[in-house]
Amino acid sequence: MKTACIVGGGVIGGGWAARFLLMGWDVRVFDPDPEAERKISEVLSNARRSLPGLSDQAMPEEGALSFHAELVDAVAGAAWIQESVPERLELKHKVYASLQSVCDEGAVIASSTSGFKPSELQEGALRPGQILVAHPFNPVYLLPLAELVPSDANAPEMIAGAQGILREIGMYPLHVRKEIDAHIADRFLEAVWREALWLVKDGIATTEEIDDAIRYGFGLRWAQMGLFETYRIAGGEAGMKHFMAQFGPALKWPWTKLMDVPEFTDELVDLIAGQSDAQSGHHSIRELERIRDNNLVAMMRALKAQDFGAGAILNKAQAPAPELGDISKPILTISRAIPLDWTDYNGHMNEARYLQAFGDATDRFMEMIGCDAEYIASGGSYFTAETHIRHLDEVHAGARITVETQVILGEGKKMHLFHVMREGDRMLATGEHMLIHVSLETRKASVPAPHIEAKLVEISQAHAGLGLPEGAGAAVGKR
């Protein structure tokens, strides 16, 4: 089992501890703060809840976590030592002196610093080449970026080894080839931060309006394509050179308080255009647009499920769900388009999404009979006991589908539903569901509230004259 030592157990140190631990490393923590164990345990609880969901395979067995009062015990045998103490250079120098007096000479000593350059950290060190910067982003256990910043004192094989360890724990080591204050990413953040402060100070925008400008607009584009690839698309078929020719002169306009900008020489334009070609030239603009759109839909649908950011805007604009209507015929419970992220490697809707659509139809029918969020909060609900789906035809992204629901049985604790999915007149699938009403307090079958049972019986009786739908009662392999 590989071992990592975490020196400084605050928000960032705790995130590093969680990242290493959940990726199968033993983790030893050294922090004189008496609250360190509590704080890291709370961060770890969040990481255990979220990080495994990023993987479609079982993650490694979790390592062992321990807390140590003596530095020598914490670093013994550690291959990676992550320093996340406060941003005071004299304190960091003191920590490195203590570390290098007891740690293995081959261990990586990495600093989480966002401001200091590695050469500054290495000043006066016993082994300067052992120390470098690995600057992460919060939450460390989810965001993959770590800016790996060495100096001339760090041997190439040491840098390569550090990159390998970061990749092993699921991170992306961005090798910063030249030392610079604040590295790379924080320089962007600082520029945006400075401009935001001016906009607030000058009364042009509130903090919320600035956040909205980011999270509803360019922040979504940046999240999946970054800056230059986004602008490459803006240049259209003519590419990056066209974009720069169109918008380069704007750098001389007084749009920003940060007016110290490089001159747009032919050499700079060619440099950026050439790098952009190498980065994205294997895709046409139309292909890049489709990649962008796929990613944006996936991200915004994820935000929609959380009712947050751009997802909350989508929820507010969403058309109302179908109403109960005429109960003498099958009830329309779903009317929607197939989203991009519902399709699979065959190009059509995957089998899990058929179940999701039928599950959504069941949820909508439950709401129609009064088993809504308020009722469920009061302690009662229907649980699915058995499901059978027949996949009759394929359907593709963008197609509009409907689901109509017939009640086969609705009395006492049981609710037997039969769903039919169509695109226009074409039948795509059927879903048969047996549900049992359950007390959420006892988790056992129970009789529903009288008003729900009455509505269910009314619809069941109205549907009795429809007869048993084709496919009802079918088993696997039975036509």
Side-chain angles (χ1 to χ4, degrees), residues 241-312:
K241 278 194 175 182
H242 174 70
F243 170 82
M244 295 177 74
Q246 291 290 103
F247 295 97
L251 292 176
K252 296 182 179 179
W253 301 343
W255 279 2
T256 173
K257 299 287 185 178
L258 307 176
M259 290 303 296
D260 185 13
V261 297
E263 184 180 352
F264 251 47
T265 62
D266 290 343
E267 290 77 13
L268 179 59
V269 170
D270 288 343
L271 176 64
I272 291 176
Q275 291 181 355
S276 178
D277 288 343
Q279 176 186 358
S280 311
H282 55 290
H283 292 299
S284 71
I285 291 299
R286 298 290 89 82
E287 287 172 337
L288 283 173
E289 288 173 343
R290 286 192 292 272
I291 292 169
R292 175 201 62 196
D293 293 351
N294 290 349
N295 293 339
L296 287 174
V297 167
M299 287 190 299
M300 287 195 283
R301 283 182 56 77
L303 290 167
K304 188 171 181 284
Q306 301 299 318
D307 195 32
F308 207 85

Side-chain angles (χ1 to χ4, degrees), residues 14-339:
W16 277 111
R19 165 74 74 166
F20 274 105
L21 195 71
L22 294 183
M23 294 304 292
W25 285 52
D26 286 343
V27 173
R28 300 174 186 162
V29 178
F30 175 79
D31 191 327
D33 181 0
E35 294 291 303
E37 186 167 354
R38 176 189 62 79
K39 292 176 181 177
I40 287 183
S41 295
E42 291 173 355
V43 172
L44 184 56
S45 177
N46 282 342
R48 287 184 177 126
R49 172 180 171 271
S50 56
L51 177 59
L54 295 181
S55 176
D56 294 327
Q57 304 296 332
M59 293 182 65
E61 289 294 322
E62 189 174 305
L65 175 65
S66 56
F67 295 83
H68 300 269
E70 299 297 332
L71 188 62
V72 64
D73 297 329
V75 302
W80 186 283
I81 302 167
Q82 188 70 33
E83 169 270 304
S84 303
V85 303
E87 293 283 80
R88 300 200 307 272
L89 190 57
E90 70 281 2
L91 174 60
K92 291 182 184 289
H93 285 161
K94 183 178 179 180
V95 169
Y96 300 145
S98 299
L99 285 171
Q100 292 192 316
S101 69
V102 293
C103 74
D104 292 352
E105 293 187 11
V108 173
I109 299 178
S111 176
S112 300
T113 182
S114 58
F116 293 119
K117 293 177 285 192
S119 58
E120 295 174 310
L121 302 176
Q122 294 165 353
E123 290 173 357
L126 179 64
R127 295 183 294 275
Q130 190 176 18
I131 302 167
L132 47 60
V133 171
H135 174 237
F137 289 80
N138 189 41
V140 183
Y141 54 79
L142 288 182
L143 297 184
L145 180 62
E147 294 177 306
L148 193 67
V149 193
S151 76
D152 292 340
N154 299 108
E157 56 270 21
M158 185 267 190
I159 299 169
Q163 289 176 309
I165 289 175
L166 289 171
R167 291 192 184 100
E168 181 183 329
I169 62 171
M171 301 190 79
Y172 173 73
L174 177 60
H175 183 187
V176 182
R177 292 184 300 277
K178 291 184 179 181
E179 290 185 274
I180 187 171
D181 291 325
H183 322 314
I184 294 176
D186 274 353
R187 295 180 74 89
F188 296 138
L189 294 177
E190 180 71 7
V192 173
W193 173 243
R194 287 171 187 251
E195 191 62 36
L197 293 178
W198 279 112
L199 290 171
V200 173
K201 179 182 181 298
D202 292 345
I204 295 167
T206 66
T207 59
E208 183 175 11
E209 289 165 347
I210 290 170
D211 285 349
D212 288 348
I214 296 170
R215 61 186 172 183
Y216 300 150
F218 65 86
L220 289 166
R221 297 187 308 190
W222 282 6
Q224 42 93 39
M225 278 193 166
L227 182 65
F228 284 100
E229 200 160 61
T230 294
Y231 283 162
R232 181 183 183 89
I233 293 177
E237 294 180 357
M240 180 61 84
K241 278 194 175 182
H242 174 70
F243 170 82
M244 295 177 74
Q246 291 290 103
F247 295 97
L251 292 176
K252 296 182 179 179
W253 301 343
W255 279 2
T256 173
K257 299 287 185 178
L258 307 176
M259 290 303 296
D260 185 13
V261 297
E263 184 180 352
F264 251 47
T265 62
D266 290 343
E267 290 77 13
L268 179 59
V269 170
D270 288 343
L271 176 64
I272 291 176
Q275 291 181 355
S276 178
D277 288 343
Q279 176 186 358
S280 311
H282 55 290
H283 292 299
S284 71
I285 291 299
R286 298 290 89 82
E287 287 172 337
L288 283 173
E289 288 173 343
R290 286 192 292 272
I291 292 169
R292 175 201 62 196
D293 293 351
N294 290 349
N295 293 339
L296 287 174
V297 167
M299 287 190 299
M300 287 195 283
R301 283 182 56 77
L303 290 167
K304 188 171 181 284
Q306 301 299 318
D307 195 32
F308 207 85
I313 301 297
L314 294 176
N315 285 333
K316 289 178 182 177
Q318 187 164 276
E323 297 298 330
L324 184 56
D326 182 1
I327 66 170
S328 67
K329 57 186 180 180
I331 296 164
L332 178 66
T333 46
I334 294 291
S335 176
R336 63 162 306 152
I338 302 300

Side-chain angles (χ1 to χ4, degrees), residues 379-415:
S381 186
Y382 282 94
F383 284 10
T384 304
E386 190 172 349
T387 296
H388 182 255
I389 296 176
R390 297 186 306 153
H391 301 272
L392 305 176
D393 206 344
E394 61 182 301
V395 63
H396 301 87
R400 181 164 180 167
I401 64 166
T402 60
V403 175
E404 292 182 330
T405 301
Q406 180 177 338
V407 179
I408 297 176
L409 173 68
E411 60 182 27
K413 304 170 185 177
K414 295 181 179 180
M415 181 166 68

